[in-house]
Amino acid sequence: MIEDLWYKNAMIYSLDLETFMDLDGDGVGDFNGLIRRLDYLQFLGVDAIWLAPFQPTPNRDNGYDITDYFGVDPRLGSGGDFVEFMHQAEKRGIKVLIDLVVNHTSDEHPWFQNARDPESSKRDWYVWSEKRPEDWNEGMVFPGRQEATWTYDKKAKAYYFHRFFKFQPDLNMDNPSVRQEIRRVIGFWLQLGVKGFRIDALPFMIESVEPGKRKKERRYDYLTEFRTFMQWRSGDAIMLGEANVLPEESQRYFGDEKGDRIHMMFNFYVNQHLFYALASGDVRPLAEAIEATSDMPETGQWAQFLRNHDELDLGRLTDEQRKHVFEQFGPEEHMQLFGRGIRRRLAPMLGDRRHEELAYSAMFSLPGTPIIRYGDELGMGDDLDLKDRDAVRTPMQWADTLNGGFSTADDLVHPVISKGVWSYEHINVAAQRRDPSSLLNWTAKMIRLRKECPEIGWGKCTILDTGSPHVLALRYDWRGNTVIVMHNFDKIPHEIALEPGVEGGERLSNLLAEEEHESGEDGIHRMALEALDYRWFRVGGLDYVINRGRSMIKK
């Protein structure tokens, strides 16, 4: 039903409208501004845009407290502006994914206001308790920023449950009327051309909550229900889940063998071990994480990423591993958040161009579909003077003009970075677009390369032995073709010995340089990788297309 499984070999770009491009000059980005920048995203090689929430909101949590699921926040434009944006994106072959934030609503949402009346038909749309539950101050998502997960409402004369902030009451997903309304929300945006939904806080969304019951059941069948509805309405639309869970749990979200639940999930487990490899130079835990997340339904796919709009979560690492990453990338307390993460952008964390290239080359080569956060293609910095997660949510830097070309307003939604090495005067699209050696042009080149290697999105991944704990080598086989990608995470050179293990493996063609590498008579390639080096090879020559469909794996 999913046309061509387009998401298997796509490039997804994550952005927040309010910080991307302001066209009307009010200091807040908008749909008309985004429309003006679609040609830039097309140049970059973007296949799909993932939009942060843009619906009406009191905006106490970056738009994740929604008051109307069927509208557009007036600060960002109108419904008509959204339709024009969809039209312009479609003209350029760019698909659109939007956030589906239905774990909770704003406490100003009409549903919640109605539910505060004990006699209301909406009462059971939320989770209530007449007495304060024993676990009222347990399970907070934002420790140190939240005081409770149950809050008393005087008008309702009861406590309501909220996994997040108290102004974000949780919806009762066990209520069939709530799920029916969510299907209406999905259907509404599908009708306007949206091709997918990034589902916020997925594990909490499907969790059944009962007052006083600490162990909460997760209703994975609700995901099957939403997927079935969605694909009857739009055969090529997808669900992308935000679920920071252990590998053995992930199959439940994809749908085990049937693959009838979500299509994609962010691979937080590999992401965290990738940062450990970047911090330590040791790739062995990363290789284990890749192996641990290798099993999934045929239509499933991982979403691989480096940074997102939140903190870099390190909660799945061991205490020792997390300490090491903190020491390398967030050594000062104000760089850390919630005791588990780092609130910095990629470029300031890594510190130099060679590390950035290594990190992005590695991410592009991981099994799955890459997602880039706006500005990271430039090496944008952060503003640690801003509160919590806002440090990585500064406006896009387009030029060395007023406010980095983001807006002509005096007062901006967030201050643009205007001081130091990360300022818009030094780092901006206009300057890097004209510089052939810029990080922006390098990123565009790597995106093209990644899309020319569908083996990574579609094929089987095998971890090859390199003889070094610092060099990760991945082999991808698909339809008779093979790609091998190597990365040296260490700050010193290493020589490796590698046996491709496929027919024709005695010859490797470098995809980034004019180089043909021949193996020894024993079929083993011996090569030196410089510090923080990366290599992309095709097995055999570059006439690989003619081989597609033939089996090359040795029996």
Side-chain angles (χ1 to χ4, degrees):
M1 293 177 68
I2 312 161
E3 184 181 357
D4 295 333
L5 302 185
W6 63 266
Y7 55 93
K8 282 278 195 173
N9 199 48
M11 183 63 56
I12 301 175
Y13 190 88
S14 161
L15 66 89
D16 191 337
L17 272 169
E18 68 175 16
T19 54
F20 198 62
M21 182 71 197
D22 170 27
L23 197 65
D24 62 10
D26 66 352
V28 180
D30 46 52
F31 274 112
N32 286 325
L34 175 54
I35 289 171
R36 297 289 180 93
R37 295 301 186 178
L38 286 174
D39 289 329
Y40 165 75
L41 297 180
Q42 187 177 37
F43 142 75
L44 191 58
V46 169
D47 297 295
I49 299 170
W50 157 31
L51 295 177
F54 54 83
Q55 290 88 355
T57 172
N59 209 27
R60 287 182 283 179
D61 183 24
N62 201 48
Y64 282 85
D65 47 330
I66 292 173
T67 57
D68 178 8
Y69 288 103
F70 301 98
V72 173
D73 193 306
R75 299 177 311 133
L76 309 176
S78 66
D81 294 332
F82 177 82
V83 170
E84 179 63 19
F85 157 69
M86 293 297 299
H87 172 69
Q88 294 297 334
E90 184 179 2
K91 279 177 60 178
R92 292 163 176 83
I94 298 175
K95 294 177 170 62
V96 177
L97 313 178
I98 69 172
D99 256 283
L100 184 66
V101 188
V102 290
N103 162 249
H104 54 254
T105 69
S106 166
D107 61 359
E108 296 181 29
H109 196 295
W111 297 346
F112 185 73
Q113 291 300 315
N114 197 313
R116 296 171 72 196
D117 179 356
E119 304 301 321
S120 168
S121 60
K122 294 283 194 300
R123 180 68 167 190
D124 196 37
W125 282 40
Y126 296 85
V127 183
W128 300 94
S129 176
E130 292 185 5
K131 297 180 179 180
R132 188 174 74 176
E134 292 181 359
D135 59 349
W136 65 276
N137 60 350
E138 298 176 8
M140 283 84 76
V141 173
F142 305 125
R145 303 294 188 274
Q146 279 177 268
E147 297 178 354
T149 50
W150 290 88
T151 294
Y152 187 75
D153 183 83
K154 292 181 180 179
K155 182 176 180 180
K157 298 179 181 178
Y159 292 84
Y160 63 89
F161 181 72
H162 52 93
R163 177 69 74 171
F164 292 81
F165 294 114
K166 66 179 181 180
F167 54 80
Q168 294 167 313
D170 276 31
L171 284 165
N172 178 13
M173 203 59 59
D174 292 332
N175 186 332
S177 297
V178 171
R179 300 200 303 279
Q180 181 181 33
E181 191 67 15
I182 291 172
R183 292 195 297 272
R184 289 184 66 237
V185 172
I186 292 171
F188 175 84
W189 294 107
L190 289 177
Q191 199 69 28
L192 294 179
V194 165
K195 291 302 179 186
F197 301 87
R198 177 263 189 188
I199 305 178
D200 183 59
L202 181 57
F204 301 142
M205 187 192 87
I206 60 173
E207 211 168 58
S208 295
V209 178
E210 296 180 29
K213 188 176 180 180
R214 281 185 164 82
K215 189 174 182 180
K216 299 173 175 59
E217 179 187 2
R218 288 179 179 165
R219 295 295 303 272
Y220 300 96
D221 54 306
Y222 294 163
L223 299 178
T224 305
E225 182 181 314
F226 293 140
R227 173 163 173 164
T228 301
F229 170 83
M230 187 179 71
Q231 292 203 223
W232 275 111
R233 289 291 178 93
S234 178
D236 60 348
I238 66 164
M239 295 192 297
L240 167 59
E242 183 202 24
N244 187 354
V245 297
L246 292 170
E248 55 266 28
E249 298 176 62
S250 62
Q251 291 303 307
R252 306 293 300 274
Y253 292 89
F254 284 117
D256 300 315
E257 296 83 15
K258 292 182 179 179
D260 59 352
R261 292 170 188 163
I262 63 172
H263 308 79
M264 299 181 71
M265 275 213 330
F266 290 97
N267 199 331
F268 285 95
Y269 196 71
V270 163
N271 172 264
Q272 295 175 44
H273 288 88
L274 173 58
F275 273 93
Y276 176 71
L278 290 167
S280 67
D282 184 356
V283 303
R284 289 170 295 185
L286 173 58
E288 292 172 2
I290 293 171
E291 288 276 14
T293 57
S294 62
D295 188 26
M296 69 170 60
E298 191 172 357
T299 59
Q301 182 69 311
W302 287 113
Q304 303 287 3
F305 64 104
L306 287 169
R307 289 295 287 110
N308 57 24
H309 59 293
D310 295 331
E311 72 279 4
L312 169 62
D313 194 325
L314 304 171
R316 297 297 179 188
L317 300 181
T318 65
D319 291 344
E320 184 178 347
Q321 289 171 336
R322 184 164 51 254
K323 180 182 177 183
H324 193 83
V325 179
F326 276 146
E327 289 173 349
Q328 292 296 312
F329 297 146
E332 299 175 30
E333 189 174 345
H334 73 288
M335 297 174 175
Q336 303 170 14
L337 193 61
F338 306 134
R340 62 172 185 249
I342 299 174
R343 62 185 201 103
R344 304 182 75 191
R345 276 262 194 179
L346 186 68
M349 272 198 296
L350 299 182
D352 62 74
R353 172 72 178 267
R354 294 177 69 192
H355 273 94
E356 288 180 79
E357 286 191 14
L358 176 74
Y360 259 108
S361 176
M363 190 271 284
F364 286 146
S365 74
L366 291 172
T369 295
I371 296 183
I372 295 180
R373 177 68 174 162
Y374 82 92
D376 277 354
E377 72 273 20
L378 307 173
M380 267 179 58
D382 47 45
D383 185 350
L384 295 174
D385 289 335
L386 298 178
K387 184 180 178 182
D388 294 347
R389 295 168 163 182
D390 288 347
V392 298
R393 297 171 178 176
T394 57
M396 183 68 169
Q397 297 169 193
W398 295 105
D400 62 357
T401 56
L402 176 68
N403 294 326
F406 162 70
S407 173
T408 58
D410 294 327
D411 187 21
L412 306 181
V413 60
H414 291 304
V416 70
I417 297 176
S418 58
K419 297 178 181 178
V421 296
W422 312 110
S423 77
Y424 64 80
E425 293 181 345
H426 301 296
I427 297 175
N428 62 74
V429 171
Q432 293 198 23
R433 189 73 175 86
R434 295 182 300 233
D435 178 0
S437 64
S438 69
L439 181 61
L440 171 60
N441 281 309
W442 177 88
T443 303
K445 179 184 73 172
M446 292 301 292
I447 288 174
R448 289 194 298 272
L449 173 60
R450 168 62 182 79
K451 291 165 73 172
E452 289 168 0
C453 297
E455 294 83 358
I456 298 176
W458 285 88
K460 173 179 171 50
C461 176
T462 302
I463 298 173
L464 300 180
D465 182 19
T466 65
S468 170
H470 307 290
V471 180
L472 178 70
L474 303 176
R475 190 190 78 203
Y476 292 93
D477 307 293
W478 182 66
R479 293 188 176 179
N481 285 311
T482 297
V483 169
I484 294 176
V485 189
M486 310 172 197
H487 290 86
N488 176 17
F489 283 78
D490 205 359
K491 295 178 182 177
I492 61 173
H494 287 279
E495 184 171 317
I496 64 166
L498 180 139
E499 184 176 7
V502 292
E503 181 183 336
E506 65 277 0
R507 179 188 178 196
L508 300 179
S509 299
N510 195 323
L511 296 174
L512 291 169
E514 292 187 18
E515 175 197 7
E516 301 289 325
H517 200 280
E518 301 288 340
S519 70
E521 293 184 2
D522 56 2
I524 295 176
H525 290 265
R526 294 170 178 84
M527 64 181 79
L529 274 72
E530 297 297 326
L532 308 177
D533 199 3
Y534 52 91
R535 306 278 181 87
W536 290 58
F537 290 106
R538 274 200 174 277
V539 168
L542 297 180
D543 57 346
Y544 57 91
V545 173
I546 203 168
N547 295 319
R548 189 166 291 169
R550 301 176 184 174
S551 176
M552 296 178 68
I553 302 176
K554 287 183 178 179
K555 302 297 184 184

